[in-house]
């Protein structure tokens, strides 16, 4: 057993990741009185989208699930899941039964950690049934122990890592030998929606597909595709610092005025712009949360105006020009700087307020008097341009490292400014962390994840890492949280090089 081979004092002698993995396996054996069969792992990610391409990176912080399979008794048609957490004071032990037919029940109205496992379980079982020709089968029981190091609710997508690692664990436990990464991502995207928050696909992609030393180029059209972009070697070495604000937007409370409202605003911006530009066909259906997007508007515009049949085939530099043109058109057409009311939007679209609400604002709750279509469209379109610019810098870097790093940094800074002023998803704490970092030598700083608190990401030359950390401690953490513990202070900042995606480790 793991216990015999690696007794506790051996584990104490190890450091870092090796120690954490062994601790998980030993704990597993202590709790369940048998060794784990395998560990499923998925990392967090940093950097965001609107069906335009994105460029997230996996970080080194991750979520591990140690798993032992409990085969079914022949007579038994339900199986049991027992799930525990290394951090048992925050995440209490849970047990539940998996029905052999139908869906796993999830109560999304409560904020319950095991829901994220259940949503991965539900998605994986659907996939397994599909693979078995739609036949019902009895899923195995499982004993599970979870250990996560991704700060949760902090914009690093601990939820996606959890769902991806769960779906991977369930798929493998039920006998699949090969797990297709695209299938895994697609099922994890759909699964996480069961927990009640709208998710776009990037988090799960980054968690599953990332490769060490790369950023992941994710495109959603026509279907989800990814490509790893290697970071060029630079002098000084390129490092990302991730700093938490320790302020958190509770999505269940602020979703209706922040996150979900932005989804609605971006969708309405696309519809209103399409009307103002006189497009004839309806916007194409896509995988966005409300079925249409600014990306779809761009495709339709170029189809109707210039006969571009498949805009997915347009080369990047042409696409860049298109984006700039759509940006210009959006500035000329969406002129209401103080936003649009429901009445105004309904009248532009030629529909009743009732059908506007039914189509756009009833899927998830939003509360607002005015929809800031102009600002949101500008943010989304310029962000798409910045992703393309960031990519081309990585793919054809300038000769000297300094101009590469300055170039990348300037894009991050422009992004933060747009998040703050046009998308209104920053907050004073995020702004302050960015200001402090830039003053201490960072090349570029921005929020990451949904915003409104959570985390920030900073491109920092290796020789400035200590200076940046120091100024944050003094000017941010100790000032905002005078009683902060040393442990919490250590957790506040993660030094991260682009890390690797999901994998499975057989014990
Ligand atoms: P964001 O979605 O902003 O990128 P996030 O994914 O970390 O950040 P949420 O989507 O709110 O934030 O998900 C956080 C939830 O995921 C927690 O409330 C908890 O239920 C679950 N979770 C995350 N990490 C763990 C963990 N290590 N153990 C158990 N549950 C966890
Ligand atoms: Mg999340």
């Amino acid at each position: 057993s793991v216990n015999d081979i690696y007794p506790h004092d051996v584990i104490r002698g190890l450091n870092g990741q090796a120690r954490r993995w062994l601790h998980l396996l030993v704990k597993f054996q202590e709790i369940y009185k048998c060794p784990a069969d395998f560990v499923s792992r998925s990392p967090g990610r940093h950097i965001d989208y609107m069906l335009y391409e994105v460029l997230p990176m996996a970080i080194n912080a991750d979520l591990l699930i140690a798993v032992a399979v409990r085969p079914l008794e022949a007579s038994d048609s339900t199986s049991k899941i027992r799930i525990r957490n290394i951090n048992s004071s925050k995440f209490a032990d849970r047990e539940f039964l998996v029905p052999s037919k139908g869906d796993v029940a999830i109560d999304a109205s409560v904020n319950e950690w095991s829901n994220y496992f259940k949503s991965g379980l539900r998605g994986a079982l659907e996939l397994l049934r599909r693979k078995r020709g739609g036949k019902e089968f009895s899923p195995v029981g499982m004993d599970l122990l979870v250990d996560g190091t991704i700060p949760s609710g902090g914009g690093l997508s601990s939820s996606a890592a959890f769902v991806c690692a769960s779906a991977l664990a369930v798929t493998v436990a039920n006998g699949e030998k090969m797990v297709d990464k695209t299938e895994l991502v697609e099922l994890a995207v759909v699964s996480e929606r069961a927990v009640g928050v709208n998710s776009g696909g990037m988090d799960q992609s980054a968690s599953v597909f990332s490769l060490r030393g790369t950023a992941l180029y994710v495109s959603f059209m026509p279907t989800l595709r990814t490509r790893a972009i290697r970071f060029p070697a630079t002098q000084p070495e390129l490092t990302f610092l991730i700093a938490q604000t320790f302020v958190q937007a509770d999505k269940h409370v602020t979703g209706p005025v922040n996150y979900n409202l932005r989804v609605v605003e971006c969708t309405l911006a696309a519809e209103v712009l399409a009307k103002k530009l006189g497009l004839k066909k309806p916007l194409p259906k896509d995988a966005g949360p409300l079925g249409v997007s600014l990306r779809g508007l761009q495709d339709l515009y170029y189809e109707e105006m210039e006969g571009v049949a498949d805009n997915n085939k347009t080369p990047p530099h042409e696409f860049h020009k298109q984006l700039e043109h759509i940006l210009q058109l959006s500035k000329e057409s969406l002129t209401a700087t103080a936003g649009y009311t429901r009445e105004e939007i309904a009248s532009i679209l030629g529909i009743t307020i009732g059908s506007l609400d039914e189509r756009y604002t009833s899927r998830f709750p939003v509360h607002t008097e005015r929809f800031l279509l102009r600002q949101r469209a500008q943010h989304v379109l310029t962000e798409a341009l910045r992703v393309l610019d960031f990519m081309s810098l990585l793919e054809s870097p300038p000769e000297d490292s300094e101009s590469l790093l300055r170039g990348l940094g300037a894009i991050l800074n422009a992004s933060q400014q747009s998040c703050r002023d046009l998308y209104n998803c920053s907050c004073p704490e995020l702004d302050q962390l960015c200001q402090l970092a830039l003053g201490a030598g960072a090349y570029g700083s921005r929020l990451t994840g949904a915003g409104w608190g959570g985390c920030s990401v900073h491109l920092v030359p290796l020789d400035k890492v200590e200076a940046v950390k120091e100024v944050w401690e003094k000017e941010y953490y100790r000032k905002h949280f005078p009683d902060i513990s040393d442990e919490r202070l250590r957790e506040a900042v993660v030094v991260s090089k682009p890390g690797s995606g999901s994998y499975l480790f057989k014990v």
Side-chain angles (χ1 to χ4, degrees), residues 45 62-63 85 87 91 111-114 116 146-160 162 192 197 203 249 251-252 448-451:
R45 67 94 188 90
D62 61 13
L63 186 132
N85 203 297
N87 186 351
F91 305 111
N111 188 2
E112 159 59 38
W113 75 282
S114 60
Y116 292 89
V146 175
D147 181 17
T149 51
I150 311 161
S152 90
L156 299 177
S157 216
S158 64
S159 60
F162 196 176
E192 201 175 332
V197 178
D203 300 344
K251 272 182 218 161
H252 294 268
T448 182

Side-chain angles (χ1 to χ4, degrees), residues 32 80-85 90-97 110-115 117-118 142-144:
Y32 295 116
K80 190 190 269 180
I81 304 279
R82 295 192 288 181
I83 181 164
R84 297 192 177 204
N85 203 297
K90 187 163 171 202
F91 305 111
D93 301 357
R94 299 287 180 226
E95 263 187 45
F96 61 95
L97 297 174
V110 290
N111 188 2
E112 159 59 38
W113 75 282
S114 60
N115 279 353
F117 175 79
K118 285 183 183 166
M142 299 165 80
D143 286 339
L144 306 145

Side-chain angles (χ1 to χ4, degrees), residues 69 71 134 186 215 230 274 310 438 465-466:
V69 178
E186 283 166 356
R230 187 152 291 285
D310 181 358
L438 293 173
V465 166
E466 281 315 310

